[in-house]
Amino acid sequence: MAEREEMLSGKLGRNFQENVAQLDKILAAGICFDVHSRPLEFGQKKIQMYFVDGLVDSTSILDMTRILSMVERNDLVPATLHKLVQTYLSHGQVTTEAALDKIASHVLAGRTAFIVEGEQEAIIVEARRYPARGPEEPDLEKVVRGSRDGFTETIIFNTALIRRRIRDPKLRFIMLSGGKRSKSDICLAYIEDIASPELVADIKRRLEKLNIDGLPMAEKSVEEMITKEDNAWNPFPQVRYTERPDVAAAHLLEGHVLIMVDTSPSIMIAPTTFFHHVQHAEEYRQAPIVGAYIRWVRLLAIVASLVVVPLWLLFSLHPGLLPKALSFIGPKKIGNVPLILQFLIAEVSIDVVRMAAIHTPSPLTTSLGLIAALMIGEVAINIGMFAPEVIMYMAIAATGTFATPSYELGMALRLWRYLLIILVYALSWPGLVLGVLALFVFLARSRSFGVPYLWPLIPFNWTALKAILIRYPVPIQNSRPSILKPVDTDRQPGQSIPIPSRKPQFGKGEKEENEKD
């Protein structure tokens, strides 16, 4: 280990052969079949070219070598490195680097490196072409109307999708690296004159402190590393994930910061609150009143997914709590298994079916659903294992969970539903009250990068809360969320000035012309 670190800490020297030998050893050229170390000679100068097969654009490599093949010695000396960079390697991005570890990192990231005889710096050419799929619509964030493009696993494609929507020169993409061995590309995105400088500095500090060997799980590993300062065991998501470029752009314009990790199509939005996770792009693709209706239905589904099952269990175990008008609630036949076990078995069964659906080939998922619904659920009721109402209420809870826009929030609420079921069984109605209060207190104490998780409910901000409860039309969405402390708070400068209601005055000629029209 010490020998490896000592070797990587060195720099290129004057001896060309030693430089080549060191880089060959670091990159394992000749051992790894995809790492190529190719000797060349142009203008009577020895050049060693390094690249990784599969990560480079072969057309660019051929163009560069073709141009260099026409170079004479008199064209290169003196100032060989300067002439190669400024004149002959006429590529979009060409830099120089002297440190061996950084040269190796550039090559393994897909760039092409040239070691030139007699020079103490390598030429790094940006000629990458990653294997990538096209920007397809995300499965978890589909809309009836709207764009059908989504983020991909290639970070440069993702930045381009955002840049296409926000052509502001103040938009910043800051490239960082994470993982001592993986050296994964991490991009920090924000709008300089909107996002809070303190927020940007805090997130950047956390990313630069990543102390881990690699990030094979990409964005999820990064999230857990940078949110451990808040609460590492918090089941509720501390960032919002999205695969939609329009959603990411909308949050940038509010003052949020984006974190993108190469090889992942999911973009992290920070900071986030509970109410960010219950909103969906579909609400903004419909008329304001329709969007408000969709939002309320979704909120109702989320609340139902959490409390419907514990409430029904409470009334089933303690029928005396029900008024006579609702006496029909409760099982007519409990079945051969205690109710608490029925619910716990049903909860686990739903998760098993969900996981089975993920691992089942697409043509067979319909068959899997039929098997789960008919052969398992129906038979369980017929043999008296489950009460029919248990299946119905668990279906309501599962539907509410899947109606939650944030998959991570849905899973966190499912875990809390487990707790509520157990508390109701053990403590009756005080258990339900205790569980709901505990959830409220837990969320109220949670923070995401310093932002209260229940804002604008706690701390209370009526203006911002109205914007959550009601989907305002775009023309009156004038201000950015104050909790983000944006530099530029006004989204529509000048719109706060009252617009006169009187009819515009025309000159005589204009009036007559207007009447003719």
Side-chain angles (χ1 to χ4, degrees):
M1 185 68 180
E3 181 184 353
R4 178 178 180 272
E5 291 182 354
E6 182 180 353
M7 180 172 57
L8 289 174
S9 63
K11 294 186 176 181
L12 292 178
R14 288 287 184 184
N15 191 309
F16 176 74
Q17 297 300 333
E18 287 185 4
N19 293 338
V20 172
Q22 284 181 303
L23 275 174
D24 283 351
K25 187 175 182 181
I26 293 171
L27 294 170
I31 299 175
C32 298
F33 79 95
D34 60 334
V35 179
H36 294 273
S37 172
R38 183 178 178 184
L40 303 168
E41 186 172 339
F42 301 114
Q44 300 179 16
K45 281 278 188 180
K46 293 181 180 179
I47 296 176
Q48 197 80 6
M49 181 172 64
Y50 291 90
F51 63 93
V52 176
D53 195 8
L55 297 182
V56 297
D57 183 2
S58 57
T59 304
S60 297
I61 297 295
L62 289 173
D63 288 342
M64 288 186 288
T65 54
R66 179 178 56 81
I67 293 171
L68 290 174
S69 66
M70 297 184 289
V71 175
E72 301 292 338
R73 179 174 177 79
N74 294 334
D75 299 327
L76 292 179
V77 293
T80 301
L81 201 68
H82 176 79
K83 289 180 178 179
L84 284 173
V85 172
Q86 298 295 329
T87 305
Y88 297 108
L89 292 177
S90 55
H91 199 270
Q93 299 179 41
V94 182
T95 58
T96 59
E97 182 58 61
L100 290 170
D101 61 336
K102 292 184 177 180
I103 296 172
S105 296
H106 282 304
V107 173
L108 295 175
R111 300 179 181 91
T112 304
F114 293 92
I115 309 298
V116 184
E117 181 183 9
E119 301 296 333
Q120 293 180 278
E121 288 183 299
I123 301 174
I124 308 297
V125 181
E126 181 67 74
R128 289 184 287 186
R129 187 178 64 182
Y130 286 151
R133 62 180 176 90
E136 303 166 356
E137 184 179 17
D139 289 332
L140 292 178
E141 298 178 274
K142 291 184 177 180
V143 293
V144 176
R145 296 186 184 277
S147 60
R148 295 290 186 261
D149 56 348
F151 290 125
T152 71
E153 289 77 11
T154 307
I155 196 168
I156 194 66
F157 287 8
N158 297 341
T159 57
L161 288 171
I162 295 175
R163 183 74 74 175
R164 184 181 179 187
R165 287 168 169 81
I166 303 179
R167 303 175 185 180
D168 189 346
K170 294 292 185 179
L171 176 59
R172 299 287 181 261
F173 290 119
I174 309 300
M175 190 62 72
L176 304 171
S177 179
K180 292 183 178 179
R181 292 184 181 273
S182 67
K183 293 181 171 53
S184 305
D185 290 331
I186 303 174
C187 180
L188 191 67
Y190 60 95
I191 300 178
E192 190 175 44
D193 57 350
I194 295 180
S196 166
E198 292 79 11
L199 173 63
V200 174
D202 180 37
I203 297 178
K204 187 177 180 181
R205 174 187 61 82
R206 298 188 189 206
L207 289 172
E208 290 174 342
K209 285 175 59 179
L210 290 179
N211 185 20
I212 192 171
D213 59 346
L215 301 170
M217 294 295 108
E219 81 292 348
K220 187 58 186 173
S221 301
V222 172
E223 180 208 344
E224 293 183 11
M225 292 293 292
I226 64 177
T227 59
K228 63 182 180 181
E229 298 180 15
D230 301 312
N231 188 350
W233 292 97
N234 189 345
F236 289 89
Q238 301 299 293
V239 300
R240 179 181 177 181
Y241 288 104
T242 184
E243 295 183 29
R244 294 189 62 89
D246 50 0
V247 173
H251 281 81
L252 279 174
L253 293 171
E254 286 186 350
H256 291 266
V257 176
L258 306 184
I259 304 169
M260 294 176 272
V261 185
D262 194 31
T263 73
S264 172
S266 296
I267 303 301
M268 290 181 281
I269 302 171
T272 186
T273 67
F274 177 86
F275 299 102
H276 280 112
H277 296 283
V278 300
Q279 299 179 27
H280 191 269
E282 180 67 20
E283 299 163 8
Y284 295 91
R285 295 289 185 177
Q286 304 294 336
I289 189 66
V290 177
Y293 166 75
I294 294 173
R295 181 174 295 181
W296 273 97
V297 170
R298 182 175 290 110
L299 286 170
L300 181 63
I302 293 171
V303 173
S305 72
L306 180 66
V307 300
V308 162
V309 170
L311 274 175
W312 186 85
L313 178 62
L314 174 65
F315 295 142
S316 299
L317 296 176
H318 305 279
L321 296 174
L322 277 172
K324 290 184 178 180
L326 299 177
S327 59
F328 62 90
I329 295 178
K332 302 299 181 289
K333 295 181 180 179
I334 294 179
N336 300 322
V337 179
L339 279 178
I340 180 67
L341 288 181
Q342 290 187 37
F343 277 115
L344 294 179
I345 292 172
E347 286 277 10
V348 173
S349 299
I350 289 175
D351 282 331
V352 171
V353 172
R354 177 181 59 82
M355 290 185 286
I358 294 174
H359 304 304
T360 303
S362 298
L364 300 179
T365 51
T366 302
S367 301
L368 175 66
L370 293 173
I371 292 172
L374 299 178
M375 297 185 65
I376 298 178
E378 187 68 23
V379 171
I381 294 173
N382 291 337
I383 65 175
M385 182 177 178
F386 282 170
E389 293 90 340
V390 170
I391 301 296
M392 184 187 74
Y393 284 104
M394 283 306 307
I396 293 174
T399 304
T401 299
F402 293 129
T404 308
S406 170
Y407 179 78
E408 293 76 21
L409 178 64
M411 293 304 296
L413 292 176
R414 175 174 290 179
L415 292 178
W416 212 274
R417 187 168 68 234
Y418 272 109
L419 177 62
L420 290 179
I421 291 173
I422 295 172
L423 287 175
V424 166
Y425 179 77
L427 303 175
S428 183
W429 67 265
L432 179 63
V433 174
L434 180 64
V436 173
L437 285 177
L439 173 62
F440 187 79
V441 172
F442 181 81
L443 293 177
R445 291 175 57 87
S446 298
R447 287 180 172 268
S448 171
F449 298 93
V451 173
Y453 205 62
L454 284 184
W455 184 88
L457 189 61
I458 297 177
F460 187 74
N461 185 318
W462 175 237
T463 303
L465 188 59
K466 283 192 299 182
I468 291 174
L469 298 177
I470 304 171
R471 204 287 255 176
Y472 282 156
V474 172
I476 60 175
Q477 295 178 9
N478 296 330
S479 58
R480 296 184 172 88
S482 60
I483 196 67
L484 297 176
K485 300 178 181 178
V487 178
D488 180 7
T489 59
D490 198 351
R491 300 195 65 172
Q492 300 182 44
Q495 292 298 313
S496 57
I497 302 174
I499 300 175
S501 58
R502 62 186 179 87
K503 294 181 179 180
Q505 300 296 319
F506 297 96
K508 183 178 181 182
E510 291 176 330
K511 183 177 181 181
E512 292 175 356
E513 198 171 287
N514 186 62
E515 289 175 352
K516 289 178 182 179
D517 293 342

